[in-house]
Amino acid sequence: AQTVTQSQPEMSVQEAETVTLSCTYDTSESDYYLFWYKQPPSRQMILVIRQEAYKQQNATENRFSVNFQKAAKSFSLKISDSQLGDAAMYFCAYRSPQGGSEKLVFGKGTKLTVNP
Amino acid sequence: ETGVTQTPRHLVMGMTNKKSLKCEQHLGHNAMYWYKQSAKKPLELMFVYNFKEQTENNSVPSRFSPECPNSSHLFLHLHTLQPEDSALYLCASSTQTGALNTEAFFGQGTRLTVV
Protein backbone atom coordinates (compact mmCIF):
# COMPACT_ATOMS: atom_id res chain seq x y z
CA ALA A 1 0.00 0.00 0.00
CA GLN A 2 1.11 3.51 -0.73
CA THR A 3 2.02 5.87 2.09
CA VAL A 4 2.70 9.58 2.13
CA THR A 5 4.88 11.21 4.79
CA GLN A 6 5.09 14.88 5.62
CA SER A 7 7.80 15.20 8.22
CA GLN A 8 7.16 18.83 9.12
CA PRO A 9 4.01 19.26 11.22
CA GLU A 10 4.53 23.03 11.26
CA MET A 11 6.55 25.56 9.30
CA SER A 12 6.79 29.32 9.37
CA VAL A 13 8.04 31.87 6.88
CA GLN A 14 8.39 35.61 6.71
CA GLU A 15 6.24 37.42 4.24
CA ALA A 16 7.97 37.72 0.83
CA GLU A 17 10.41 34.95 1.70
CA THR A 18 10.61 31.44 0.26
CA VAL A 19 9.65 28.25 2.06
CA THR A 20 9.88 24.58 1.11
CA LEU A 21 7.52 21.91 2.41
CA SER A 22 8.73 18.35 2.22
CA CYS A 23 6.88 15.20 1.21
CA THR A 24 8.05 11.66 0.65
CA TYR A 25 6.02 8.70 -0.47
CA ASP A 26 6.34 4.99 -0.82
CA THR A 27 5.10 3.08 -3.85
CA SER A 28 6.05 0.23 -6.12
CA GLU A 29 4.19 1.72 -9.08
CA SER A 30 6.00 3.51 -11.88
CA ASP A 31 3.23 5.82 -13.02
CA TYR A 32 1.11 7.94 -10.72
CA TYR A 33 0.10 11.49 -9.90
CA LEU A 34 1.19 13.61 -6.99
CA PHE A 35 -0.71 16.59 -5.65
CA TRP A 36 -0.34 19.41 -3.18
CA TYR A 37 -3.58 20.63 -1.64
CA LYS A 38 -4.06 23.72 0.51
CA GLN A 39 -6.65 23.84 3.29
CA PRO A 40 -7.19 27.35 4.69
CA PRO A 41 -9.25 28.03 7.82
CA SER A 42 -12.36 27.93 5.63
CA ARG A 43 -11.64 24.16 5.51
CA GLN A 44 -12.09 23.77 1.78
CA MET A 45 -9.31 21.75 0.19
CA ILE A 46 -7.92 23.57 -2.84
CA LEU A 47 -5.60 22.02 -5.40
CA VAL A 48 -2.32 23.93 -5.56
CA ILE A 49 -0.26 21.92 -8.00
CA ARG A 50 0.06 18.43 -9.47
CA GLN A 51 2.85 16.38 -10.99
CA GLU A 52 2.70 13.45 -13.36
CA ALA A 53 5.28 10.86 -12.41
CA TYR A 54 6.31 10.13 -16.00
CA LYS A 55 7.17 13.80 -16.58
CA GLN A 56 10.68 14.76 -15.55
CA GLN A 57 9.98 18.47 -15.69
CA ASN A 58 8.93 19.93 -12.38
CA ALA A 59 5.47 21.47 -12.32
CA THR A 60 5.07 25.17 -11.63
CA GLU A 61 2.04 27.34 -10.93
CA ASN A 62 2.92 30.99 -10.47
CA ARG A 63 4.66 31.25 -7.08
CA PHE A 64 4.32 27.52 -6.42
CA SER A 65 6.73 24.95 -7.78
CA VAL A 66 7.71 21.42 -6.94
CA ASN A 67 10.97 19.54 -6.74
CA PHE A 68 10.08 16.04 -7.89
CA GLN A 69 12.77 13.45 -7.31
CA LYS A 70 11.30 10.18 -8.55
CA ALA A 71 14.18 7.95 -7.57
CA ALA A 72 14.18 9.37 -4.07
CA LYS A 73 10.35 9.36 -3.97
CA SER A 74 10.39 12.95 -2.87
CA PHE A 75 7.92 15.68 -3.83
CA SER A 76 8.58 18.99 -2.11
CA LEU A 77 6.61 22.20 -2.57
CA LYS A 78 8.36 25.54 -2.83
CA ILE A 79 6.40 28.72 -2.20
CA SER A 80 8.16 31.85 -3.39
CA ASP A 81 7.38 35.41 -2.32
CA SER A 82 5.15 34.11 0.48
CA GLN A 83 1.96 36.02 1.14
CA LEU A 84 -0.25 36.20 4.21
CA GLY A 85 -2.94 34.38 2.27
CA ASP A 86 -0.65 31.39 1.90
CA ALA A 87 -1.12 30.55 5.57
CA ALA A 88 -2.93 27.20 5.68
CA MET A 89 -2.53 23.47 6.10
CA TYR A 90 -0.78 21.91 3.13
CA PHE A 91 -1.36 18.29 2.23
CA CYS A 92 0.66 16.13 -0.10
CA ALA A 93 -1.34 13.41 -1.85
CA TYR A 94 -0.66 10.40 -4.06
CA ARG A 95 -2.95 8.90 -6.65
CA SER A 96 -2.56 5.40 -8.02
CA PRO A 97 -2.97 4.65 -11.71
CA GLN A 98 -4.90 1.45 -11.02
CA GLY A 99 -8.15 1.49 -12.92
CA GLY A 100 -11.17 2.31 -10.84
CA SER A 101 -9.09 3.25 -7.84
CA GLU A 102 -9.97 6.75 -6.73
CA LYS A 103 -8.02 6.63 -3.56
CA LEU A 104 -6.10 9.80 -2.92
CA VAL A 105 -3.61 8.93 -0.19
CA PHE A 106 -2.85 11.97 1.91
CA GLY A 107 -0.04 12.88 4.27
CA LYS A 108 -0.80 14.28 7.72
CA GLY A 109 -0.25 17.82 6.56
CA THR A 110 2.04 20.75 7.33
CA LYS A 111 0.69 23.86 8.98
CA LEU A 112 2.25 26.91 7.36
CA THR A 113 2.33 30.22 9.20
CA VAL A 114 3.26 33.39 7.34
CA ASN A 115 4.64 36.14 9.54
CA PRO A 116 4.18 39.78 8.48
CA GLU B 1 -18.96 29.55 -4.79
CA THR B 2 -17.03 26.34 -4.36
CA GLY B 3 -19.04 24.17 -6.72
CA VAL B 4 -19.34 21.55 -4.00
CA THR B 5 -21.68 22.49 -1.15
CA GLN B 6 -21.98 20.61 2.11
CA THR B 7 -24.67 21.04 4.75
CA PRO B 8 -24.73 21.46 7.61
CA ARG B 9 -21.39 23.13 8.31
CA HIS B 10 -21.51 22.06 11.94
CA LEU B 11 -23.38 19.24 13.64
CA VAL B 12 -23.53 18.09 17.23
CA MET B 13 -25.33 14.83 17.84
CA GLY B 14 -25.83 12.35 20.62
CA MET B 15 -24.78 8.74 20.28
CA THR B 16 -28.40 7.60 19.90
CA ASN B 17 -29.35 10.20 17.30
CA LYS B 18 -29.82 9.72 13.59
CA LYS B 19 -28.65 12.50 11.30
CA SER B 20 -27.63 12.98 7.69
CA LEU B 21 -24.90 14.95 5.96
CA LYS B 22 -25.64 16.34 2.54
CA CYS B 23 -23.34 17.12 -0.37
CA GLU B 24 -24.32 18.74 -3.64
CA GLN B 25 -22.20 19.54 -6.66
CA HIS B 26 -23.04 21.72 -9.65
CA LEU B 27 -19.95 20.93 -11.68
CA GLY B 28 -21.39 18.24 -13.89
CA HIS B 29 -19.17 15.62 -12.28
CA ASN B 30 -20.13 11.98 -12.17
CA ALA B 31 -17.97 10.78 -9.29
CA MET B 32 -18.43 11.73 -5.65
CA TYR B 33 -16.50 10.87 -2.51
CA TRP B 34 -16.70 11.01 1.27
CA TYR B 35 -13.49 11.61 3.23
CA LYS B 36 -12.98 11.73 6.99
CA GLN B 37 -10.46 14.17 8.43
CA SER B 38 -9.50 13.57 12.05
CA ALA B 39 -7.04 15.60 14.08
CA LYS B 40 -3.41 14.57 13.56
CA LYS B 41 -4.36 11.87 11.05
CA PRO B 42 -4.29 11.81 7.25
CA LEU B 43 -7.53 12.22 5.37
CA GLU B 44 -9.20 8.86 4.98
CA LEU B 45 -11.27 7.92 1.96
CA MET B 46 -14.57 6.42 3.09
CA PHE B 47 -16.75 5.89 0.00
CA VAL B 48 -16.63 6.43 -3.75
CA TYR B 49 -19.60 6.70 -6.09
CA ASN B 50 -19.36 6.71 -9.86
CA PHE B 51 -22.52 7.35 -11.86
CA LYS B 52 -24.56 6.75 -8.68
CA GLU B 53 -23.00 3.35 -8.09
CA GLN B 54 -20.82 2.70 -5.08
CA THR B 55 -17.39 1.61 -6.30
CA GLU B 56 -15.45 1.68 -3.06
CA ASN B 57 -16.20 1.18 0.60
CA ASN B 58 -12.99 1.57 2.55
CA SER B 59 -13.96 -0.75 5.40
CA VAL B 60 -16.25 1.85 6.91
CA PRO B 61 -18.42 0.76 9.89
CA SER B 62 -22.08 0.22 9.09
CA ARG B 63 -23.13 3.10 11.36
CA PHE B 64 -22.14 5.23 8.35
CA SER B 65 -24.52 4.66 5.45
CA PRO B 66 -23.99 6.53 2.17
CA GLU B 67 -26.65 7.28 -0.39
CA CYS B 68 -26.24 8.68 -3.90
CA PRO B 69 -29.64 9.27 -5.52
CA ASN B 70 -28.09 10.99 -8.56
CA SER B 71 -24.71 12.21 -9.76
CA SER B 72 -25.21 15.63 -8.16
CA HIS B 73 -26.16 14.59 -4.65
CA LEU B 74 -24.47 12.49 -2.00
CA PHE B 75 -25.64 11.81 1.53
CA LEU B 76 -24.02 10.25 4.56
CA HIS B 77 -26.56 8.86 7.00
CA LEU B 78 -25.33 8.58 10.57
CA HIS B 79 -26.73 6.48 13.42
CA THR B 80 -25.45 5.26 16.78
CA LEU B 81 -22.14 7.00 16.33
CA GLN B 82 -19.29 6.95 18.82
CA PRO B 83 -17.34 9.94 20.19
CA GLU B 84 -14.30 8.84 18.15
CA ASP B 85 -16.37 9.48 15.02
CA SER B 86 -16.10 13.20 15.72
CA ALA B 87 -14.22 14.68 12.78
CA LEU B 88 -14.46 16.87 9.72
CA TYR B 89 -16.30 15.05 6.93
CA LEU B 90 -15.34 16.23 3.49
CA CYS B 91 -17.21 15.60 0.28
CA ALA B 92 -15.46 15.76 -3.08
CA SER B 93 -16.38 15.28 -6.72
CA SER B 94 -14.52 14.72 -9.97
CA THR B 95 -15.20 14.22 -13.66
CA GLN B 96 -14.67 10.48 -13.82
CA THR B 97 -13.02 7.72 -11.99
CA GLY B 98 -10.07 5.80 -13.29
CA ALA B 99 -8.43 8.80 -14.96
CA LEU B 100 -5.08 9.76 -13.53
CA ASN B 101 -5.41 13.46 -14.16
CA THR B 102 -8.81 13.81 -12.55
CA GLU B 103 -8.86 16.70 -10.14
CA ALA B 104 -11.02 16.33 -7.07
CA PHE B 105 -12.99 19.38 -5.97
CA PHE B 106 -13.80 19.52 -2.27
CA GLY B 107 -16.58 21.03 -0.24
CA GLN B 108 -15.99 22.95 2.97
CA GLY B 109 -16.85 20.01 5.14
CA THR B 110 -19.18 19.25 8.01
CA ARG B 111 -17.63 19.49 11.46
CA LEU B 112 -19.27 16.63 13.37
CA THR B 113 -19.15 16.32 17.14
CA VAL B 114 -20.58 13.23 18.79
CA VAL B 115 -21.44 13.66 22.45
Side-chain angles (χ1 to χ4, degrees):
Chain A
Q2 295 83 19
T3 58
V4 176
T5 302
Q6 293 179 250
S7 59
Q8 306 153 316
E10 297 187 28
M11 291 283 285
S12 63
V13 63
Q14 290 297 125
E15 196 175 2
E17 297 292 308
T18 296
V19 64
T20 298
L21 309 183
S22 65
C23 172
T24 59
Y25 57 94
D26 186 25
T27 184
S28 59
E29 296 165 330
S30 60
D31 194 18
Y32 45 85
Y33 263 71
L34 296 165
F35 303 84
W36 276 100
Y37 278 89
K38 169 185 177 182
Q39 187 179 39
S42 66
R43 306 184 321 208
Q44 186 192 6
M45 298 279 280
I46 302 165
L47 179 66
V48 175
I49 198 166
R50 62 183 160 194
Q51 175 78 42
E52 303 163 49
Y54 64 88
K55 287 188 176 180
Q56 292 186 333
Q57 187 174 8
N58 289 326
T60 61
E61 287 287 342
N62 300 313
R63 296 182 296 106
F64 298 88
S65 62
V66 299
N67 183 5
F68 174 48
Q69 302 290 327
K70 191 172 183 179
K73 296 180 183 175
S74 171
F75 182 61
S76 60
L77 174 69
K78 185 172 82 171
I79 306 174
S80 304
D81 186 26
S82 297
Q83 301 175 0
L84 295 177
D86 294 334
M89 285 290 294
Y90 285 82
F91 294 92
C92 179
Y94 171 100
R95 181 164 183 171
S96 169
Q98 292 180 13
S101 173
E102 297 314 308
K103 193 168 184 175
L104 272 174
V105 180
F106 285 88
K108 291 186 179 181
T110 297
K111 182 179 180 180
L112 178 65
T113 301
V114 181
N115 300 310
Chain B
E1 176 57 50
T2 68
V4 180
T5 304
Q6 290 186 243
T7 54
R9 293 291 306 278
H10 302 271
L11 177 63
V12 179
M13 61 184 287
M15 289 188 283
T16 59
N17 291 159
K18 289 184 179 181
K19 297 286 184 182
S20 295
L21 310 185
K22 179 182 177 182
C23 177
E24 186 173 358
Q25 58 95 1
H26 302 285
L27 301 169
H29 293 164
N30 49 44
M32 297 187 77
Y33 317 79
W34 280 117
Y35 281 87
K36 176 183 178 182
Q37 185 177 18
S38 305
K40 302 187 188 304
K41 293 175 68 175
L43 275 80
E44 304 169 65
L45 179 67
M46 299 175 72
F47 301 103
V48 179
Y49 277 82
N50 191 22
F51 290 103
K52 304 188 297 180
E53 298 297 320
Q54 186 180 122
T55 56
E56 181 154 350
N57 176 337
N58 200 24
S59 303
V60 180
S62 60
R63 57 185 184 270
F64 294 92
S65 175
E67 178 190 2
C68 189
N70 55 61
S71 293
S72 298
H73 294 84
L74 184 65
F75 295 89
L76 188 62
H77 303 300
L78 316 170
H79 63 98
T80 59
L81 294 192
Q82 304 298 312
E84 58 265 29
D85 296 322
S86 299
L88 180 67
Y89 289 85
L90 290 166
C91 173
S93 69
S94 65
T95 52
Q96 69 176 79
T97 60
L100 257 186
N101 63 349
T102 300
E103 175 184 345
F105 289 78
F106 286 81
Q108 292 179 292
T110 295
R111 173 70 65 190
L112 173 67
T113 304
V114 181
V115 297

